[in-house]
């Protein structure tokens, strides 16, 4: 699964794996792909430094990258406390009432939420970069489009490629104009924040729109056959996220959540603003139904919604309240039917890729050449 981009980065397979778990990121790189650690959950620089140290010790010298969440436009002088103060009391009461309805216990006194989305705030991301640029990362990806121009310049000074996610060709062109090196065309099927256009339509549109920039296809991809299709559409690799959630190296906080993922079909997700305030695909639960109901107060814009529900999500996960328990995940969840190692996922990816290429060669009359 070699492409010009994978050769540039020195990886065996053009498989880019996004994950919030250091052990998964390292295993992806060791397996011949390119592991990308999601940084949004790191609110303290020391925590990120600890995990980058761990990756350095376990990646066997293979390349890896970092994914941050940084808006292109900066709002000066706004603190987390300022943002918290913008949350209406009615929304806070809705959260309390919903948790009470399902009997969700409080966190212990003094116990902080493990799910604060302060990583959506620009200064937090900049602090993360101050740490990350001391490590030999090869790629910086931004989930909210093009990062600020000074961040792109800073990355390029360190020979770090910059990638940005796009949900439309129009967004992709803006990334190209902003000096981005790689565009990740993320289709509607993807887990987490996603737009309205499906991968089969989006990928070739973005490839044509930003040529000759390399494009990675993302959204609902979890098999070698899909990877072959993405390359046939002009992509130079695939960006996979959800498929790693049920790997044995992952650190999901709840056995019940793993059970729900393994049991879910591709139709058991919903694109909802309940988690962050922006449309994000996730498991459909009674929590998402409550927020999407006409009887609810409606979701708040990012980052207000994420701050509002942070403690609630931590309580739901800690106490494994099954009806409310969910996670961002793409429609590929229907293929995630057993816990496997990252290496086993790669074995399936490469085998499926070879089978798909052989099939196309036979159709084209090139079998045996």
């Amino acid at each position: 699964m070699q492409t010009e981009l994978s050769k540039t980065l020195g990886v065996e397979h053009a498989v880019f794996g996004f994950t919030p778990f250091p052990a998964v990121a390292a295993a992806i790189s060791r397996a011949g792909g390119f592991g990308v650690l999601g940084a949004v959950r790191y609110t303290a620089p020391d925590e990120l430094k600890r995990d980058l140290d761990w990756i350095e010790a376990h990646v066997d010298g293979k390349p890896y990258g970092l994914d941050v969440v940084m808006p292109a436009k900066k709002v000066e002088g706004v603190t987390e406390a300022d943002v918290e103060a913008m949350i209406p009391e009615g929304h806070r009461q809705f959260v309390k009432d919903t948790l009470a309805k399902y009997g969700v216990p409080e966190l212990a006194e003094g116990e902080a939420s493990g799910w604060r989305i302060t990583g959506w705030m620009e200064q937090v991301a900049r602090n993360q970069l101050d740490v990350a640029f001391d490590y030999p990362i090869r790629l910086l990806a931004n989930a909210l489009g093009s990062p600020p121009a000074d961040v792109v310049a800073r990355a390029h000074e360190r020979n770090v490629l910059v990638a940005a996610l796009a949900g439309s060709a129009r967004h992709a062109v803006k990334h190209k104009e902003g000096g981005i090196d790689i565009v990740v065309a993320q289709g509607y099927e993807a887990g987490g924040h996603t737009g309205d256009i499906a991968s089969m339509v989006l990928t070739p549109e973005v490839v044509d729109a930003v040529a000759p920039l390399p494009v990675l296809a993302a959204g609902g991809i979890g098999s070698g056959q899909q990877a072959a299709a993405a390359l046939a559409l002009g992509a130079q690799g695939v960006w996979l996220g959800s498929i790693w959630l049920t790997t044995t190296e992952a650190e999901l906080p709840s056995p019940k959540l793993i059970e729900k993922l393994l049991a879910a079909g591709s139709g058991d997700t919903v694109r909802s603003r309940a988690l962050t305030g922006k449309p994000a695909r996730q498991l459909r639960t009674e929590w998402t139904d409550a927020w999407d109901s006409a009887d609810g107060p409606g979701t708040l814009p990012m980052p207000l919604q994420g701050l509002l529900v942070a403690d609630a999500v931590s309580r739901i996960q800690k106490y494994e309240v099954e009806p409310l328990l969910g996670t961002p995940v793409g429609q590929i969840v229907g293929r995630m039917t057993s816990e496997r190692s990252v290496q086993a996922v790669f074995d399936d990816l490469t085998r499926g890729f070879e089978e798909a290429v052989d099939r196309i060669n036979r159709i084209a009359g090139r079998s045996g050449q």
Side-chain angles (χ1 to χ4, degrees):
M1 297 172 69
Q2 280 275 320
T3 65
E4 184 179 345
L5 179 59
S6 66
K7 292 175 183 176
T8 297
L9 288 167
V11 295
E12 182 180 359
H13 303 299
V15 175
F16 294 73
F18 165 81
T19 174
F21 306 122
V24 176
I28 290 168
S29 291
R30 289 198 308 270
F34 191 97
V36 181
L37 178 66
V40 71
R41 69 191 180 101
Y42 294 97
T43 56
D46 286 349
E47 295 173 352
L48 179 59
K49 183 179 186 304
R50 176 201 64 206
D51 283 355
L52 289 176
D53 283 340
W54 190 94
I55 289 177
E56 274 290 298
H58 292 84
V59 82
D60 293 348
K62 302 292 180 65
Y64 62 94
L66 190 75
D67 180 280
V68 298
V69 179
M70 177 176 284
K73 296 181 180 179
K74 184 175 182 178
V75 179
E76 297 283 358
V78 177
T79 67
E80 182 180 347
D82 295 331
V83 176
E84 288 264 18
M86 300 177 191
I87 298 173
E89 185 56 37
H91 283 72
R92 296 185 188 277
Q93 189 61 48
F94 180 76
V95 170
K96 293 177 182 177
D97 292 345
T98 303
L99 296 178
K101 176 181 177 181
Y102 291 91
V104 183
E106 296 276 356
L107 294 175
E109 186 175 351
E111 182 178 0
S113 165
W115 204 83
R116 300 294 288 175
I117 316 234
T118 53
W120 303 118
M121 304 180 74
E122 181 184 348
Q123 189 53 52
V124 175
R126 286 185 177 274
N127 292 341
Q128 293 166 351
L129 294 179
D130 288 341
V131 172
F133 282 141
D134 286 336
Y135 292 81
I137 62 171
R138 294 295 312 280
L139 176 72
L140 172 66
N142 189 38
L144 283 183
S146 303
D150 69 295
V151 172
V152 175
R154 190 177 174 191
H156 287 167
E157 288 171 2
R158 290 162 173 78
N159 199 31
V160 175
L161 297 180
V162 181
L165 275 65
S168 71
R170 177 174 57 86
H171 292 155
V173 169
K174 289 184 177 180
H175 297 340
K176 183 179 181 181
E177 293 170 348
I180 298 302
D181 304 294
I182 302 165
V183 175
V184 181
Q186 180 168 281
Y188 173 80
E189 307 95 324
H193 297 123
T194 179
D196 300 301
I197 305 172
S199 299
M200 182 66 76
V201 174
L202 179 66
T203 301
E205 284 187 353
V206 172
V207 168
D208 290 344
V210 301
L213 283 188
V215 172
L216 300 177
I221 300 174
S223 72
Q225 292 88 344
Q226 291 171 304
L231 268 58
L233 293 172
Q236 287 202 31
V238 289
W239 178 275
L240 278 59
S242 297
I243 196 71
W244 316 111
L245 288 173
T246 52
T247 56
T248 52
E249 293 90 344
E251 303 163 21
L252 284 180
S254 163
K256 286 186 179 179
L257 179 55
I258 296 172
E259 291 175 6
K260 290 188 75 170
L261 287 168
L262 296 177
S266 56
D268 292 328
T269 67
V270 64
R271 190 166 163 267
S272 170
R273 297 177 183 268
L275 195 61
T276 68
K278 283 184 176 291
R281 186 170 299 284
Q282 54 204 279
L283 280 180
R284 182 177 180 180
T285 66
E286 294 185 29
W287 176 256
T288 61
D289 285 351
W291 280 104
D292 296 337
S293 169
D295 298 332
T299 55
L300 299 170
M302 180 186 282
L304 299 181
Q305 183 71 17
L307 289 169
L308 169 65
V309 304
D311 287 345
V313 171
S314 289
R315 290 164 60 186
I316 291 166
Q317 290 181 347
K318 176 178 179 178
Y319 298 110
E320 295 190 299
V321 184
E322 197 276 338
L324 306 179
L325 191 61
T327 186
V329 68
Q331 292 179 331
I332 195 63
V333 70
R335 294 181 65 99
M336 295 157 53
T337 56
S338 64
E339 290 188 78
R340 300 178 291 165
S341 68
V342 167
Q343 184 62 61
V345 173
F346 262 89
D347 291 343
D348 284 348
L349 284 168
T350 54
R351 181 167 50 248
F353 181 83
E354 291 171 357
E355 291 172 354
V357 171
D358 288 344
R359 187 182 308 120
I360 295 301
N361 281 335
R362 289 195 300 273
I363 291 171
R366 291 194 294 267
S367 181
Q369 294 185 11

